[in-house]
């Protein structure tokens, strides 16, 4: 998918969300964030070099989505439920196979979520062995935004360098969400925009 900056839906959305973001507090405030102890603001011991995060294939969960409405993930049995919002069409829930991320069953309806300024908060998942993986949006309005991931030891040390999860041409909007599916793997979702087209994507994340 090619990304067009400053035109169509992206330009309108950027202007709207910039005003809201200026009025909000800075930094990470969610329970899924390292806050003042994140990898960008604190010098921490560096783990072994080389990638410690492996990203699977990117899957399209839904098209024509509201990229700044909250996304909620829940896992039960062999399925992941992804709750999102469509412009002018209300909320929806997509059901994905836990292992393949393929659609399972028919998309169901749900209450719509309110618009919100795109969050800079990170999403974090702790694995069975105590290690954890974090993902966040990185970039700027001129060059676009990417979804990044970083693995950490149970003691809070970096494992290798950050890895890009989003496709090279994707411009990421909104806050990423991540959920553990079995204690050893995680699934991250994120919204992208290309002109007037928006998509909700999902990718498997594994710490090596």
């Amino acid at each position: 998918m090619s990304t067009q900056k400053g035109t169509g839906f992206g330009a309108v959305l950027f202007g709207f969300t910039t005003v809201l973001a200026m009025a909000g507090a800075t930094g990470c405030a969610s329970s899924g964030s390292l806050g003042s102890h994140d990898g960008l603001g604190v010098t921490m011991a560096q783990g072994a070099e080389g990638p410690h995060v492996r990203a699977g294939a990117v899957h399209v969960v839904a098209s024509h989505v509201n990229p700044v409405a909250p996304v909620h993930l829940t896992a039960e049995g062999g399925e992941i439920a992804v709750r999102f919002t469509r412009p002018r069409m209300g909320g929806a829930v997509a059901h994905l196979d836990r292992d393949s991320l393929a659609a399972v069953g028919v998309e169901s309806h749900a209450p719509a979520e309110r618009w919100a300024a795109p969050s800079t908060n990170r999403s974090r998942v702790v694995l069975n062995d105590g290690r954890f993986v974090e993902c966040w949006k990185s970039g700027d309005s001129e060059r676009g935004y990417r979804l990044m991931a970083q693995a950490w030891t149970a003691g809070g040390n970096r494992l290798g360098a950050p890895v890009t999860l989003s496709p090279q041409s994707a411009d990421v909007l909104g806050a990423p969400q991540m959920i553990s599916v079995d204690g050893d793997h995680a699934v991250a979702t994120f919204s992208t925009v290309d002109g007037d087209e928006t998509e909700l994507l999902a990718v498997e994340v594994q710490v090596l």
Side-chain angles (χ1 to χ4, degrees):
M1 67 182 74
S2 62
T3 302
Q4 303 174 4
K5 307 295 189 304
T7 61
F9 181 82
V12 175
L13 181 61
F14 175 73
F16 170 74
T17 55
T18 298
V19 174
L20 291 179
M22 292 175 62
T26 60
C28 299
S30 74
S31 59
S33 165
L34 288 178
S36 60
H37 298 284
D38 63 36
L40 300 180
V42 176
T43 301
M44 305 186 75
Q46 179 69 41
E49 296 300 326
H52 281 257
V53 175
R54 175 183 294 161
V58 176
H59 296 261
V60 177
V61 178
S63 299
H64 308 296
V65 302
N66 179 347
V68 294
V71 175
H72 304 283
L73 305 178
T74 56
E76 184 174 349
E79 293 185 15
I80 300 173
V82 184
R83 179 179 170 182
F84 60 97
T85 299
R86 295 185 186 276
R88 301 181 300 276
M89 296 178 62
V93 179
H95 305 272
L96 309 179
D97 179 80
R98 190 189 72 176
D99 298 319
S100 68
L101 300 185
V104 177
V106 179
E107 183 180 296
S108 54
H109 295 287
E113 296 274 356
R114 293 179 177 272
W115 284 60
S119 173
T120 58
N121 290 346
R122 300 182 173 208
S123 183
R124 181 176 66 177
V125 162
V126 180
L127 305 176
N128 286 335
D129 58 5
R131 294 181 300 170
F132 58 96
V133 60
E134 221 183 17
C135 65
W136 70 96
K137 188 177 71 173
S138 175
D140 56 49
S141 60
E142 294 296 325
R143 292 171 294 180
Y145 292 89
R146 300 166 296 163
L147 184 67
M148 307 298 296
Q150 172 74 61
W152 304 78
T153 68
N157 297 328
R158 293 181 198 254
L159 285 171
V163 171
T164 303
L165 298 182
S166 54
Q168 184 176 5
S169 61
D171 193 0
V172 177
L173 284 177
Q177 298 297 322
M178 192 162 46
I179 191 171
S180 174
V181 294
D182 58 7
D184 295 315
H185 300 78
V187 170
T189 61
F190 55 101
S191 299
T192 64
V193 62
D194 177 12
D196 292 332
E197 179 61 40
T198 55
E199 291 184 323
L200 178 62
L201 307 180
V203 60
E204 180 190 16
V205 182
Q206 181 181 8
V207 177
L208 305 177

